[in-house]
Amino acid sequence: MKTLLSAVAATLVAGLLSTAAYAENLILYTSQPNEDAQATVDAFKAANPGVEVEWVREGTTKIMAKLMAEIEAGNPVADVLLIADTVTMQRLKEGGHLLPHKSPEAAGYDAGLYDADGAYYSTKMITTGIVYNTSAGMKPEGWQDLTKPEAKGLVTMPSPLTSGAALIHAETLAGIPGLGWGYYKALAENGATAAGGNGGVLKAVATGEKAYGMLVDFMAIREKAKGAPVEFVFPAEGVSAVTEPVGILKTARNVDAAKKFVDFLLSEEGQKVAAKMGYIPARNGVALPEGYPARETIKVLPLDAAAAVKNSEADLKTFSGIFGTN
């Protein structure tokens, strides 16, 4: 009997130790590219010795499917979520899945870059502007230039049916006076195409298959630095932005470490890590990477995340009605 009790006790202790070890680890679900995710985690661990981080990386759609399946099963694994867009975070907030955290680092940010209740915070700005081939006859300065005769049949863009950033972009421009869905109709009438993701747009413009495209900033700027015959324009009317927000799950096992992670990403040190990766920092006062214009010259257009959640299905139908279902 004594031996049996000892065995049971040892099993219980082992289980408790395993649970404790699990609780001490921070579990991150992210849609960052693998290299960026590792750099983010390494920088956080260097600033917070003793906190271990396990991370899982998939595209936002897949990582959300995984998370929601876990929530449905009553066993969400992640403590922290770092994904592409605020619209997805807003859905999680409205579903009651996020833990509010009033980060002291929020003072360094414009109010439009984080949730007023502290449910999520933008960590960088990935804007969508215009990329063009350097051999193109017209050098565009604004969105309306893509509807001119000089651009007829020469414009391509990612489809919101494929790209989350493209959906954010379409929803943003649709809400701007002087642009709206009428702008997209004008693009379609001018022979613009919409299909696939940002990678296909960059390839089409860099090879000269198309002269102009709508594209996320860092892809064009990186390719130009590598010698590709492309230029990137931040249009005069303004740009949309995917802001890679971070939020803490309400079911987080390691809340203290999760808060430290959020605060680190928002800190000046964390924002310098984002800039080193080649992204526009969301925090004010942090220098932009090489190849970008001064921060104050980039006009970021507003997007109401709650309205975007409500209207996303209708917006996708509107876009499909204009460009088809590619």
Side-chain angles (χ1 to χ4, degrees):
M1 178 64 74
K2 187 177 291 186
T3 302
L4 177 60
L5 288 174
S6 297
V8 170
T11 301
L12 289 172
V13 169
L16 289 171
L17 288 173
S18 176
T19 301
Y22 183 77
E24 288 170 3
N25 288 345
L26 183 69
I27 310 297
L28 168 68
Y29 279 12
T30 182
S31 63
Q32 288 183 300
N34 286 328
E35 185 178 345
D36 292 350
Q38 189 64 63
T40 299
V41 168
D42 288 346
F44 169 72
K45 288 172 64 176
N48 294 270
V51 180
E52 292 300 318
V53 181
E54 298 176 25
W55 55 276
V56 176
R57 189 273 163 195
E58 289 285 358
T60 293
T61 301
K62 288 186 178 181
I63 207 75
M64 285 304 301
K66 175 178 174 61
L67 176 63
M68 296 313 293
E70 292 172 356
I71 290 173
E72 285 286 323
N75 186 35
V77 174
D79 295 304
V80 182
L81 197 60
L82 177 60
I83 54 174
D85 64 274
T86 56
V87 175
T88 301
M89 281 293 197
Q90 181 66 26
R91 285 196 185 98
L92 286 171
K93 178 191 175 183
E94 292 178 7
H97 300 303
L98 297 181
L99 179 72
H101 167 50
K102 293 298 183 76
S103 174
E105 299 293 343
Y109 290 73
D110 294 339
L113 290 174
Y114 59 90
D115 175 63
D117 298 321
Y120 54 85
Y121 296 85
S122 299
T123 64
K124 55 182 65 76
M125 293 196 297
I126 302 172
T127 72
T128 292
I130 299 172
V131 61
Y132 67 91
N133 191 288
T134 53
S135 65
M138 175 184 64
K139 310 302 181 188
E141 297 180 357
W143 294 116
Q144 295 290 0
D145 289 339
L146 300 185
T147 65
K148 291 180 177 179
E150 299 95 309
K152 188 172 182 64
L154 299 176
V155 177
T156 186
M157 70 190 82
S159 170
L161 302 175
T162 303
S163 165
L167 176 57
I168 297 294
H169 182 62
E171 291 181 311
T172 300
L173 294 195
I176 301 302
L179 293 173
W181 288 116
Y183 172 67
Y184 278 94
K185 290 177 182 177
L187 285 170
E189 290 168 1
N190 205 38
T193 59
N198 284 278
V201 171
L202 177 59
K203 182 179 179 181
V205 175
T207 59
E209 178 188 342
K210 295 288 184 178
Y212 311 100
M214 294 183 181
L215 188 68
V216 291
D217 53 28
F218 73 92
M219 291 182 72
I221 291 170
R222 286 178 183 177
E223 285 304 298
K224 177 186 175 182
K226 294 176 184 176
V230 296
E231 291 286 350
F232 186 78
V233 176
F234 292 87
E237 302 98 329
V239 292
S240 66
V242 173
T243 59
E244 202 163 271
V246 63
I248 302 171
L249 272 296
K250 200 170 185 177
T251 50
R253 293 176 172 86
N254 198 339
V255 174
D256 287 343
K259 289 180 177 178
K260 287 180 181 178
F261 186 80
V262 171
D263 292 346
F264 172 76
L265 292 189
L266 302 182
S267 70
E268 187 172 349
E269 182 181 357
Q271 288 292 286
K272 286 180 178 177
V273 172
K276 189 175 180 180
M277 293 176 187
Y279 301 108
I280 300 174
R283 185 184 180 106
N284 293 323
V286 179
L288 272 63
E290 186 176 348
Y292 287 81
R295 170 74 178 274
E296 60 270 17
T297 67
I298 302 173
K299 179 182 178 182
V300 179
L301 297 169
L303 176 70
D304 184 331
V309 168
K310 182 179 178 181
N311 300 327
S312 286
E313 188 174 342
D315 290 337
L316 286 171
K317 287 182 179 178
T318 299
F319 191 92
S320 296
I322 298 171
F323 286 97
T325 56
N326 293 323

